Amino acid sequence: MIARRLVVSDGAPAGAFEVVVILRDITERRNTEARIQHLAYHDTLTTLPNRASFDRCLREHLVDGRRNARGFALMLVDLDGFKLINDSLGHPAGDALLQTCADRLRSTTRDTDTVSRQGGDEFLVLLTDIRDSDDIAPIVEKIMHTLARPCALAGQEMSLSCSVGLAVY
């Protein structure tokens, strides 16, 4: 904290008017607050929005959908055989797989869509601005195909499959 005393004369007798200025650098505090905010609404492993953040986003889309007759789709993506990977290759390999899946989901969806990790090996994908339910199948196929691409994991090349649940509004 820096305190400075300034004397302003401005035609008045010297010392008649004083201003005390106190300056404090709050950069570190602001950065800490931003970090806390990020941790409250994002998964620490994948940096995707977490359950609380996704719930808020979904509520906003429900309200918008009712008001403006806009459709959206909600996908639950569950990785098949994830427990076996964790058990056989260890949690670090499982964490690396979750990060890879998160990156692939992010890269496969549009900027307007939201991808969230709900916990474990479950992800939710909110597909926005769906005009026709026929628009959804190609997106689901693209996501499943992208997740099924082989990836290097613990020195091995592994392929992954997923199960998808879908609800359309």
Side-chain angles (χ1 to χ4, degrees):
M1 176 169 38
I2 300 170
R4 291 204 172 126
R5 183 175 220 133
L6 303 175
V7 178
V8 180
S9 62
D10 196 26
F17 184 77
E18 293 183 2
V19 176
V20 176
V21 178
I22 298 175
L23 304 171
R24 181 178 298 183
D25 184 359
I26 61 169
T27 304
E28 185 177 332
R29 180 177 167 194
R30 292 285 183 161
N31 290 341
T32 301
E33 289 172 356
R35 178 78 177 135
I36 290 169
Q37 182 73 11
H38 181 79
L39 288 171
Y41 291 104
H42 291 83
D43 177 62
T44 55
L45 179 65
T46 63
T47 70
L48 290 173
N50 64 12
R51 184 182 303 261
S53 179
F54 191 84
D55 287 349
R56 185 173 56 185
C57 179
L58 181 58
R59 275 193 284 266
E60 289 171 7
H61 277 83
L62 281 168
V63 169
D64 184 55
R66 285 186 203 121
R67 280 190 191 143
N68 302 312
R70 289 193 188 155
F72 61 87
L74 181 62
M75 292 175 50
L76 172 65
V77 179
D78 184 70
L79 305 180
D80 298 332
F82 181 74
K83 183 179 180 336
L84 179 63
I85 291 169
N86 251 355
D87 291 346
S88 61
L89 299 176
H91 288 281
D95 288 350
L97 179 63
L98 290 172
Q99 290 168 333
T100 298
C101 289
D103 291 341
R104 289 180 178 184
L105 285 168
R106 257 191 293 254
S107 70
T108 306
T109 54
R110 303 165 296 175
D111 290 339
T112 57
D113 300 331
T114 302
V115 179
S116 168
R117 179 169 175 231
Q118 295 296 292
D121 63 336
E122 291 181 347
F123 296 88
L124 283 176
V125 181
L126 181 66
L127 303 172
T128 59
D129 294 326
I130 299 296
R131 298 184 198 325
D132 190 292
S133 58
D134 293 337
D135 297 341
I136 301 168
I139 299 170
V140 173
E141 288 174 11
K142 183 178 177 185
I143 287 172
M144 292 178 79
H145 178 73
T146 301
L147 289 177
R149 284 192 339 241
C151 64
L153 195 61
Q156 302 176 36
E157 191 167 284
M158 313 237 2
S159 291
L160 184 68
S161 63
C162 65
S163 300
V164 175
L166 182 66
V168 178
Y169 178 87

